């Protein structure tokens, strides 16, 4: 495929818009319900234009093509900052691909239009006409309520060149340009296409496209050059001018300290930019001269804050050595610079703001008097252009001011450093991708369900909880989960780290929704439970009554097998019962879940000898499941004093049994970084006499394997995390550690800690070791079970050992795991055994009907969790409507089509090659491994693009007879005409037929 965008002709675009709107009630995928109509009498004045709103896309990917500008306008943008043009353009401007990475804070490696300057000009004129047409045709406004702001760079010589000069003059008055006449003439001769747009409206379309300009200069551009350019733009071109300024004005120390304080310490700055860029005092002096000059000519000069921040590419995030940062990490820098400049100019300086503006701060920015406000990163994320509508509504009741309130802006800049929405910790850093390849068809998927070890049907039960149908919700939960109360309380909720809402605001509170169903329905469910009849004479024994063993037991007995559980202790649930403290989980939760298992008809033998014999058990049982957990603490290797340390396992058990009789002294050190270490630290903090508790970890806090939620709870308890320390010895109440530094990443992907010569001494009356647990391999070996090099049993993909019909589950498989992973083992082993017996299982999917219109209304709407009763409304039901790749494509190159036959799901995603420049943004947010622009069914407009591509897809050779050239799923190219049998697959045939017969305008 080609990474070159192929602009759509004006005629084709008009036809496309009218047909799509008539047939789908959408325009470039945006539903009419998202179209913004200004219902307020207040208007905003800027450079002589009257605007309905003061926001819009920043110069960038969302303002480079006519369709991008159309969609921006429809969703509420009225200040359109057009993508920058420069003398270097088209084929002469190589842009590395992918060029955008907006997974959190945003990075890019492109800075101006990839079109030729003439091509860009044509797009802007086409958009100008289309906005006038749509404004009247859709009854959005009686008169023009928007403006265009052109953007040029990067030096005076280039700006004075005939190419850029022609662009500027054409934007000042386009009436004599070829594209203006082409658009005007088409509308004149096809005015019958429209219902409300008239010839009179057309005659009133002004050829003055943009009386204002934003100057974008490269990092390192001398202040003298900037001033010369602005002088030229004011004196010679008579343009209102914004000067784009760089965050480097703040100085390297401030930028570095701010990023570190907010959690972006991994971002590496380029010192030379701070040395060579415009300095703050020089910038202020320059602005004063330019403002005076502009005033004399009845023009305005302001600043555009800010440019992106150049940072180093360290991990091949994007091609090249340097990339440009924007988004929420840029916000505290930009708003601070805005505050400084506003104060120095007593509030009279015109500021065009763009630096991390989004739903959570745009009203605060505007309330200071700043306008206009543009954005890029937020609309490159799921929800896309549809986020704009919510932004606009948030600003409707805010008045515009002639002056900036410097005190209010100064306060906002201070608050930015603590605004949770802009701290790195607000969004979990876990990898969002599922371990699944992106399918060509039927790709709609709920990442939460696939991210959950037991594949909970999460959107389904969340929808039912939202409707207060708790019994139905609980029945879905318990299908896959044998410990719903326990997991509703302490699950590490991996599902929430996959939730699509993380790219909006925060994950849906999935675990809390589960607990709500449990609290309202589990008792009633248990009351009605009766053991099902046995469906087989075969018997199963489970050794170990922890979460894994009990899950195996419940699932197998529920599906008709005879199951006995043998446990060496007096109570079930292993570490949950004996180690996890009561302040984390109640005894009621454990007892209720055990009752759930017992009521299924599982038999229990407690207090059994732990030295089981597999051969003897085989005399009674047909299947044996070993689930005895990992209870042997790993020993720490110290030079001196390791015998003085106690294991976290023994401490936690004593704490839960009788915490009043534990004596630890005043200072306690916990060695480790996992959840057990956190539990030990929080328990130690609650022991009488303990004054201080420290967790000693050899890496940094951000790399601790413990759940982030538990880490935050420990910090709120007053526990101190000591990073980059490696224990050496325990002696005379002191824990000695080597200071570590982080080196290169190890096999786990975490940076390897490397020792220094520096030693650190810590007070430690008690040292508790929590560096992991292992299993008793001797009993396995004595029973003939093969072990791997790590001392764990060798198993196949079904958890079966080298002895037929002997399985393992839970922590004994490969060491400590979470409760939900143990349940997943129980589900897997149960399915395998039932399959061996030829018995069906009841882990079937439940289909809950969802109002798709409501789901579409949620798209693009940001909101933090408010309360549990409304939480279900934040769920996007991605298994029904995903379309993330559609949302985030600036060019609208990924399209949803409705296909009524053949497919499991009615919607299908197709990719339009000619509208794509391979920016890579769709691949960033697609939950699968893959890129929609490469791995989805592709429609080609150009045969050379088809020939050089490897995408499955087609190009129509003769639309009248349905003749196509097709690249099939296996990569073979064939000629195909609609109606032919056995040439292409039924799926591909149906998509081609649908496109030709119902979506002709996309071809």
């Amino acid at each position: 495929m080609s990474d070159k965008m192929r602009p759509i002709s004006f005629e084709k675009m008009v036809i496309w818009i009218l047909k799509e709107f008539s047939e789908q009630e959408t325009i470039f995928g945006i539903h009419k319900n998202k179209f913004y109509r200004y219902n307020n009498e207040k208007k905003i004045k800027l450079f002589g234009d009257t605007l309905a709103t003061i926001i819009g896309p920043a110069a960038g990917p969302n303002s480079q093509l006519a369709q991008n500008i159309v969609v921006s306008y429809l969703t509420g943008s009225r200040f359109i900052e057009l993508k920058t043009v420069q003398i270097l353009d088209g084929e002469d401007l190589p842009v590395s691909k992918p060029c955008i990475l907006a997974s959190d804070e945003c990075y890019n490696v492109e800075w101006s239009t990839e079109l030729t300057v003439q091509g860009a000009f044509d797009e802007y004129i086409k958009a100008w006409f289309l906005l006038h047409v749509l404004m009247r045709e859709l009854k959005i406004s009686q008169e023009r309520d928007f403006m265009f702001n052109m953007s040029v760079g990067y030096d005076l010589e280039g700006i004075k060149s005939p190419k850029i000069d022609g662009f500027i003059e054409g934007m000042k008055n386009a009436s004599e340009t070829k594209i203006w006449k082409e658009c005007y003439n088409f509308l004149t001769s096809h005015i019958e296409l429209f219902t409300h747009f008239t010839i009179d409206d057309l005659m009133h379309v002004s050829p003055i496209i943009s009386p204002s300009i934003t100057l974008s200069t490269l990092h390192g551009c001398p202040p003298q050059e900037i001033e010369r350019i602005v002088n030229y733009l004011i004196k010679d071109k008579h343009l209102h001018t914004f000067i784009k300024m760089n965050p480097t004005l703040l100085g390297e120390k401030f930028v570095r300290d701010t990023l570190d304080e907010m959690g972006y310490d991994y971002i590496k700055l380029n010192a030379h930019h701070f040395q060579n860029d415009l300095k703050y005092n020089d910038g202020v002096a320059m602005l004063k001269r330019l403002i005076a000059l502009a005033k004399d000519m009845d023009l305005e000069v302001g600043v555009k804050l800010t440019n992106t921040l150049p940072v180093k590419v360290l991990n091949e995030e994007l091609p090249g050595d340097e990339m440009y940062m924007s988004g929420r990490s840029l916000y505290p820098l930009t708003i601070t610079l805005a505050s400084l400049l506003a104060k120095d100019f007593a509030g009279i300086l015109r500021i065009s703001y763009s630096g991390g503006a989004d739903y959570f701060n745009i009203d605060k920015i505007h309330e200071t008097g700043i306008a206009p406000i543009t954005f890029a990163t937020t609309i490159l994320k799921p929800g896309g252009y549809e986020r704009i509508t919510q932004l606009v509504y948030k600003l409707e009741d805010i008045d515009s001011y002639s002056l900036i309130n410097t005190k209010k802006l100064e306060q906002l800049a201070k608050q930015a450093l603590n605004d949770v929405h802009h701290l790195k910790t607000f969004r979990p850093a876990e990898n969002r991708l599922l371990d699944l390849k992106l399918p060509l068809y039927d790709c709609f998927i709920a990442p939460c369900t696939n991210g959950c070890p037991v594949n909970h049907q999460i959107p389904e039960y969340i929808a039912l909880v939202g409707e207060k149908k708790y019994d139905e919700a609980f029945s879905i939960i318990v299908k896959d989960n044998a410990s719903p109360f326990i997991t509703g309380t302490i699950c590490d909720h991996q599902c929430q780290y996959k939730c699509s809402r993380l790219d909006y605001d925060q994950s849906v509170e999935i675990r809390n929704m589960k607990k709500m169903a449990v609290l309202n329905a589990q008792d009633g469910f248990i009351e009605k439970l009766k053991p099902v009849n046995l469906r087989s004479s075969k018997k199963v024994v489970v050794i170990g009554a922890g979460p894994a063993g009990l899950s195996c037991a419940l699932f197998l007995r529920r599906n008709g097998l005879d199951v006995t559980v043998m446990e060496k202790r007096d109570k079930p649930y292993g570490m949950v019962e004996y180690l996890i403290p009561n302040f984390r989980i109640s005894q009621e939760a454990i007892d209720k879940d055990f009752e759930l298992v017992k009521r299924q008809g599982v038999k229990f033998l407690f207090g059994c000898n732990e030295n089981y014999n597999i051969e003897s058990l085989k005399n009674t049982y047909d299947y044996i499941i070993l689930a005895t957990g990992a209870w042997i603490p790993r020993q720490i290797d110290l030079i001196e004093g390791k015998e003085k340390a106690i294991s976290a396992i023994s401490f936690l058990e004593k704490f839960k049994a009788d915490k009043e009789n534990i004596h630890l002294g005043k200072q306690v050190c916990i060695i480790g970084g996992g959840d057990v270490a956190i539990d030990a630290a929080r328990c130690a903090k609650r022991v009488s006499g303990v004054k201080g508790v420290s967790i000693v970890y050899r890496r940094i806090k951000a790399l601790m394997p413990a759940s982030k939620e538990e880490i935050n709870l420990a910090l709120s308890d007053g526990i101190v995390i000591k990073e980059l320390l490696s224990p050496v010895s325990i002696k005379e109440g002191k824990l000695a550690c080597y200071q570590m530094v982080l080196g290169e990443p190890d096999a786990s992907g975490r940076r390897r800690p490397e020792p220094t010569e520096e030693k650190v001494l810590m007070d430690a009356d008690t040292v508790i070791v929590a560096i992991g647990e292992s299993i008793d391999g001797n009993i396995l070996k004595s029973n003939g079970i093969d072990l791997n090099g790590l001392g764990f049993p060798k198993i196949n993909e079904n958890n079966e050992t080298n002895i037929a019909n002997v399985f393992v589950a839970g922590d004994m498989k490969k060491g400590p795991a979470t409760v939900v992973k143990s349940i997943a083992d129980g589900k897997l082993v149960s399915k395998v055994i039932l399959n061996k017996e030829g018995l069906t299982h009841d882990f079937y999917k439940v289909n809950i009907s969802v109002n798709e219109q409501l789901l579409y209304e949620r798209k693009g709407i940001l909101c933090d969790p408010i309360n549990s009763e409304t939480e279900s409304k934040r769920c996007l039901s991605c298994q029904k409507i995903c379309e993330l790749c559609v949302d985030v494509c600036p060019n609208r190159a990924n399209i949803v089509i409705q296909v009524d036959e053949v497919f499991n799901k009615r919607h299908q995603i197709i990719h339009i090659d000619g509208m794509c420049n391979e920016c890579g943004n769709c691949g960033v947010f697609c939950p699968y491994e893959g890129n929609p622009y490469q791995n989805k069914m592709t429609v080609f407009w150009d045969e050379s693009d088809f020939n050089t591509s490897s995408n499955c897809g087609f190009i129509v050779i003769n639309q009248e007879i349905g003749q196509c050239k097709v690249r099939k799923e296996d990569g073979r190219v064939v000629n195909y005409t609609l109606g032919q049998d056995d040439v292409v697959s039924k799926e591909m045939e149906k998509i081609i037929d649908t496109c030709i017969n119902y979506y002709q305008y996309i071809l």
Side-chain angles (χ1 to χ4, degrees), residues 353-367:
Y353 187 93
S354 181
D358 64 17
Y359 171 74
F360 296 107
N361 60 28
I362 196 165
D363 54 336
K364 299 170 190 173
I365 297 169
H366 191 36
E367 282 170 352

Side-chain angles (χ1 to χ4, degrees), residues 652-768:
L652 288 170
E653 189 162 4
K654 289 177 184 176
F655 179 88
K656 191 160 187 181
D658 186 12
K659 73 174 183 179
E660 302 304 325
N661 289 314
I662 295 177
H663 304 284
L664 301 176
K666 293 182 178 180
Q667 298 295 328
V668 180
C669 289
I670 317 292
I671 299 172
D675 286 328
V676 173
I678 298 293
D679 276 349
R682 298 187 69 203
C683 289
K685 187 71 174 177
R686 288 163 169 78
V687 171
S688 178
V690 172
K691 301 298 183 186
V693 177
S694 299
I695 295 174
V696 178
Y697 185 55
R698 65 193 190 118
R699 290 184 168 96
I700 60 174
K701 182 178 69 176
L703 298 176
M704 289 175 71
S707 73
K708 301 299 181 286
E709 184 178 27
E710 293 302 315
I711 291 172
N712 290 334
L713 287 170
L715 293 172
S716 66
D717 281 349
I719 292 160
V720 178
I721 296 177
K722 300 282 190 179
E723 303 173 300
L724 293 170
L725 293 178
S726 179
V728 179
S729 65
I730 305 169
K731 185 178 180 181
E732 298 176 352
K734 300 285 185 182
L735 175 64
C737 304
Y738 277 122
Q739 184 70 56
M740 310 292 281
V741 294
L742 290 181
E744 296 301 311
D746 60 17
S748 71
R750 298 181 297 175
R751 291 174 65 189
R752 183 186 299 109
E754 297 174 352
T756 67
E757 296 297 319
E758 182 183 351
K759 263 191 180 180
V760 176
L761 286 178
M762 300 176 61
D763 292 332
D765 297 307
T766 300
V767 176
I768 299 173

